[in-house]
Amino acid sequence: MARRERVVRMSVEQPLWRALTAYRVLTMLYAVLLAVFGRARYDRPWVAVVFLTVLAVWTLATLPKVSGAVACTKRFLGVDLALALTGILLTPLADFEAQSVDGPTLPSIWTAGSVLAFALKGGWRWAAFASTLVAAVNIVERGEPSRDTFHNVLLVWVASIAIGYVVEVARASERTLARALEIEAATRERERLARDIHDSVLQVLAMVQRRGTALGGEAAELGRLAGEQEIALRTLVTSGLVPTTRVSEDAAEGAVVRSVEVDDEPSGPAVCDLRTLLAPYAGSRITFAEPGAPVLLAPDTATELAAAVGAALDNVRVHAGEDAQAWILVEDWPDEVIVTVRDDGPGIPEGRLAQAEGEGRMGVALSIRGRLRDLGGTAELVSVPGQGTEVELKVSKVSRGKAGSAR
């Protein structure tokens, strides 16, 4: 079975939450060590011991709460900030000289972690609210705040608001990116459906119109109706109104005609011999030239490449006539596969392709170039009036097919 690649999109906020988790633990340890080495200054050491014990237990017990925005609830933020503010107000009770000397508070810089949690959860407005409360409580605790106090308060206030603003910008960018990816996926699916419609329904309608007109009578009326439906369907496809649907990967994998195991390793990536998909096109007026060895590609890549060859041959039949001779040449190079489809028809007049696309006839644009573009390859068309047309399809062996790359 072909390997499936799963894309896991991680939020840009997660590194910030992990950093906050580490910050809370480290600053808790810093506050405890600061109190241990400065225990001589405390007049009531038991106040510091009780608070720091509660702080340590709370920090370690609530680590899951700061693992992400979902786990970090408003209730947790309120209790966490209240604990930080309580520690600041308890500082003068433990150290009588705290108001006259610019010493650290009991929670020290741990308080900034609580404010940063507000910033990560709710953006700069929440950060401004929390940092303003911290600033007010610090001023009350100091009584007569010094320049250093104002400096520290302003630093926390500016830093938290800046981080909150960055988080809001990151969230907006992530939403924009997700929307862009959805639009791109919808556009590619719409183009794929348009290719399928062109390769089947539109071509049948065009054939009915031509045959009906040639037969005349009631068949001519049927041909006229088929022509009207063809025009309506082309308009629907090119206007982008074809609804997008999801096609399961299992169904896509079921379309692979044949897979080949490389070096008898069943567990290796599934590959397909391109020759087996192109061989049915050979006939009395289509010459197929292939290498002597299997041309191995990822199943999705081989299927889409063969479909592009079929679209090129359909164009030969429609535009060069039923009597036109065509040749398919497959070249297997170390890093890429090149398939060339050439005919001896009258060629394409200059500007005809652009005119066809303007009229909604997207055979070359969607069925051929669109397929190769989705595979990460290229499709080049060279046509000289009176000397036929040549379509060169080139795809890398390490393509972007859903099934993975063939090695």
Side-chain angles (χ1 to χ4, degrees), residues 32-297:
V32 171
L33 292 176
L34 200 64
V36 170
F37 289 109
R39 60 185 179 274
R41 73 173 184 272
Y42 291 116
D43 300 288
R44 292 174 181 167
W46 63 269
V47 175
V49 171
V50 171
F51 174 77
L52 292 173
T53 300
V54 173
L55 181 68
V57 173
W58 172 260
T59 301
L60 297 177
T62 58
L63 288 180
K65 288 290 186 180
V66 290
S67 61
V70 177
C72 187
T73 62
K74 293 181 180 179
R75 182 177 179 181
F76 162 76
L77 289 174
V79 176
D80 196 61
L81 183 61
L83 179 62
L85 299 180
T86 300
I88 295 174
L89 294 175
L90 287 177
T91 301
L93 296 179
D95 182 5
F96 295 157
E97 297 180 354
Q99 292 183 333
S100 58
V101 179
D102 280 331
T105 59
L106 287 177
S108 184
I109 57 177
W110 185 91
T111 305
S114 181
V115 176
L116 292 177
F118 271 81
L120 295 182
K121 175 67 176 180
W124 71 269
R125 294 176 180 83
W126 287 31
F129 168 76
S131 58
T132 300
L133 287 181
V134 171
V137 171
N138 267 287
I139 292 174
V140 170
E141 184 266 334
R142 291 300 180 186
E144 296 181 0
S146 64
R147 184 175 60 182
D148 289 340
T149 301
F150 279 115
H151 177 269
N152 294 335
V153 166
L154 182 63
L155 182 62
V156 172
W157 195 75
V158 172
S160 60
I161 291 178
I163 292 176
Y165 179 75
V166 169
V167 169
E168 289 188 358
V169 172
R171 286 173 179 164
S173 300
E174 192 172 19
R175 288 193 297 268
T176 302
L177 176 61
R179 179 58 181 161
L181 292 176
E182 290 175 1
I183 293 174
E184 181 185 7
T187 301
R188 289 185 178 276
E189 180 66 7
R190 185 179 294 114
E191 290 183 357
R192 186 194 65 79
L193 289 176
R195 288 197 298 265
D196 292 343
I197 291 172
H198 176 273
D199 292 348
S200 55
V201 181
L202 289 178
Q203 291 184 358
V204 171
L205 290 175
M207 182 186 68
V208 172
Q209 182 188 21
R210 291 194 303 271
R211 296 291 176 85
T213 303
L215 293 175
E218 294 183 358
E221 178 63 16
L222 292 177
R224 184 185 66 80
L225 294 175
E228 293 177 355
Q229 293 302 312
E230 179 193 5
I231 295 173
L233 186 54
R234 288 187 188 278
T235 303
L236 184 65
V237 169
T238 56
S239 64
L241 297 180
V242 177
T244 58
T245 57
R246 289 186 176 271
V247 180
S248 67
E249 292 185 359
D250 291 335
E253 290 171 2
V256 177
V257 176
R258 176 185 175 191
S259 63
V260 181
E261 294 180 0
V262 182
D263 295 335
D264 297 326
E265 295 182 4
S267 60
V271 291
C272 183
D273 186 358
L274 179 64
R275 302 179 307 167
T276 62
L277 301 182
L278 298 181
Y281 292 126
S284 59
R285 298 196 176 276
I286 300 177
T287 303
F288 178 43
E290 59 181 313
V295 181
L296 303 180
L297 289 173

Side-chain angles (χ1 to χ4, degrees), residues 15-25 66 112-114 116-118 120:
L16 297 177
W17 285 106
R18 288 198 294 266
L20 177 61
T21 302
Y23 177 87
R24 287 169 63 87
V25 174
V66 290
S114 181
L116 292 177
F118 271 81
L120 295 182

